[in-house]
Amino acid sequence: MNGLKDYLPKEPMAPIVTETIPSGSEWGYQLKWDGVRILSLLNGGEVSLVSRKLLNKTALYPEVVSSLSELKEQRLILDGEVVYFHPELGRPVFQKVLQRERSRAISTSAPLFTYVLFDILLDGDRDMRQLPYIERHQRLQQIVANKPGLLVADLFNDGESLWKWAEDRGWEGIVIKRLSSPYREGKKHQDWYKKKIAIRLKTEAIAMIIREGRVASLVLAGDDGSYIGRASLGLNEQTKRQLLHYAGLHSGSACWKELHTDLKKEKLAWLSKPLTVEVTFLEWSQDGMMRHPKLLGIQGLG
DNA sequence: AAGCCTACATTTGTCAGTTC
DNA sequence: GAACTGACAAATGTAGGCTT
């Protein structure tokens, strides 16, 4: 019999970003649970947890280890997402996961995390990876059925409805899986897709951050003129050159009396004529910043 | 308070190889 | 030779912890 590690992928199977939701009976749909990807290895009473990059996370999520303890006499490799489910909001809150990931000592009053499972790679002696996803999902449900702290991600058959449901309730997005698909490493497949729900905003770039004589990112202000973050995703070299040119033509003075600490160490080029930009981002952070902002377009650039 | 660290996600640029 | 693709590195940003 092979060791458990022989069944561990170099990287877990990952969904590919898509804009259009594939439809048809060969596809299944799941909510995208916003947390950290964790593979779990169970064997002979031992439980260990590893991250996307196969780093050991066993000590970081003791409650997950404990939730899995009922299953630990079996020989299993499971795949899923560790999330903090906010009871009032009715959805996962990623910030809580970040707090846990960055803490060394876990306080006893730390919020409890849930392990949301969506795949099984090994079941006893059986390599499950070649089985169709629908069968792996069914087997996972049999094994995990109603264990506290564990959840099997539901599989739905109507992608558009799930998308609307997720959108209405502020979830991160949905994952679309080909029901016949084997488990393959990384993104070398055409079987798993994800579509993220993004907030769209038209806002103003009032300054640019300059590094080594080049535009590094745009400083964005919200409706009330306050700092809501910076954005660089979506800028290519050509756009950066255009921006630098624009900054030269419309050089202005500082808008704020006091700079956000974020910006204090940066070299800024203030604009006398702000640029209207469109951005998307995943969500607002607690202190009013955009999480993962991305520029869609900039108006008024030559 | 500043600066560095770790971990993660994602895009952009580049290079090499393949295809038309 | 142009256009596409995959693999890879670099860049950018997120955020709290830790040290000074």
Side-chain angles (χ1 to χ4, degrees):
Chain A
M1 200 195 302
N2 297 325
L4 272 199
K5 296 251 157 77
D6 296 327
Y7 298 92
L8 203 58
K10 283 192 281 294
E11 54 175 321
M13 188 162 177
I16 299 160
V17 177
T18 182
E19 282 307 308
T20 55
I21 301 171
S23 65
S25 58
E26 73 265 41
W27 297 100
Y29 309 88
Q30 291 173 324
L31 287 168
K32 191 163 193 315
W33 293 81
D34 202 5
V36 284
R37 188 73 176 271
I38 295 287
L39 291 158
S40 50
L41 295 84
L42 293 75
N43 193 21
E46 298 281 314
V47 177
S48 58
L49 307 176
V50 298
S51 71
R52 182 188 300 279
K53 296 215 168 148
L54 306 186
L55 302 171
N56 189 343
K57 297 281 178 178
T58 313
L60 197 56
Y61 298 103
E63 72 271 52
V64 172
V65 172
S66 151
S67 301
L68 288 167
S69 65
E70 275 191 64
L71 302 172
K72 70 186 175 189
E73 297 307 326
Q74 301 181 54
R75 188 167 179 263
L76 300 168
I77 298 179
L78 306 176
D79 192 358
E81 193 89 359
V82 168
V83 304
Y84 172 74
F85 191 83
H86 192 292
E88 277 87 45
L89 293 176
R91 61 177 166 86
V93 173
F94 184 70
Q95 269 80 6
K96 294 278 183 194
V97 182
L98 280 183
Q99 284 170 12
R100 177 72 70 90
E101 282 282 314
R102 279 146 198 177
S103 59
R104 205 157 288 176
I106 299 147
S107 92
T108 50
S109 63
L112 289 181
F113 285 67
T114 306
Y115 192 20
V116 183
L117 295 153
F118 50 72
D119 219 323
I120 175 167
L121 284 68
L122 180 69
D123 179 17
D125 297 337
R126 180 121 198 236
D127 186 348
M128 300 291 281
R129 292 174 295 184
Q130 293 311 311
L131 291 182
Y133 181 66
I134 182 91
E135 289 181 33
R136 300 203 303 277
H137 186 260
Q138 281 166 4
R139 180 68 186 127
L140 194 57
Q141 283 181 315
Q142 289 171 0
I143 291 172
V144 177
N146 295 322
K147 302 268 188 298
L150 303 181
L151 193 70
V152 176
D154 279 323
L155 196 53
F156 300 94
N157 55 26
D158 183 342
E160 291 298 334
S161 304
L162 187 63
W163 175 257
K164 285 193 181 67
W165 191 96
E167 209 169 26
D168 290 345
R169 289 165 180 75
W171 283 61
E172 191 199 8
I174 65 170
V175 180
I176 304 112
K177 293 179 179 172
R178 196 188 297 276
L179 297 175
S180 61
S181 62
Y183 190 98
R184 285 192 279 197
E185 294 188 1
K187 294 185 176 178
K188 294 176 204 167
H189 57 75
Q190 297 210 290
D191 297 326
W192 285 16
Y193 294 93
K194 63 179 168 186
K195 181 169 175 171
K196 289 195 179 184
I197 288 152
I199 302 170
R200 255 175 181 265
L201 191 69
K202 206 168 252 186
T203 182
E204 302 223 302
I206 58 168
M208 302 179 195
I209 294 173
I210 309 291
R211 285 196 199 125
E212 292 166 346
R214 299 182 347 174
V215 174
S217 52
L218 298 181
V219 178
L220 304 184
D223 289 339
D224 60 352
S226 65
Y227 180 61
I228 58 170
R230 48 169 98 180
S232 70
L233 287 182
L235 293 179
N236 55 27
E237 285 304 320
Q238 195 197 332
T239 317
K240 288 179 185 176
R241 280 197 299 274
Q242 291 176 333
L243 286 167
L244 196 60
H245 180 66
Y246 182 94
L249 294 176
H250 305 287
S251 168
S253 52
C255 280
W256 298 312
K257 277 182 229 147
E258 192 145 359
L259 275 186
H260 194 276
T261 47
D262 237 27
L263 300 172
K264 280 188 178 160
K265 59 192 167 191
E266 304 289 359
K267 184 183 174 202
L268 297 177
W270 292 93
L271 302 177
S272 57
K273 238 176 90 184
L275 284 162
T276 300
V277 301
E278 202 173 351
V279 284
T280 67
F281 52 98
L282 291 188
E283 62 182 353
W284 292 105
S285 70
Q286 263 182 343
D287 50 351
M289 299 291 131
M290 302 173 291
R291 179 148 86 91
H292 285 294
K294 180 180 169 184
L295 292 161
L296 292 181
I298 304 170
Q299 286 171 21
L301 258 198

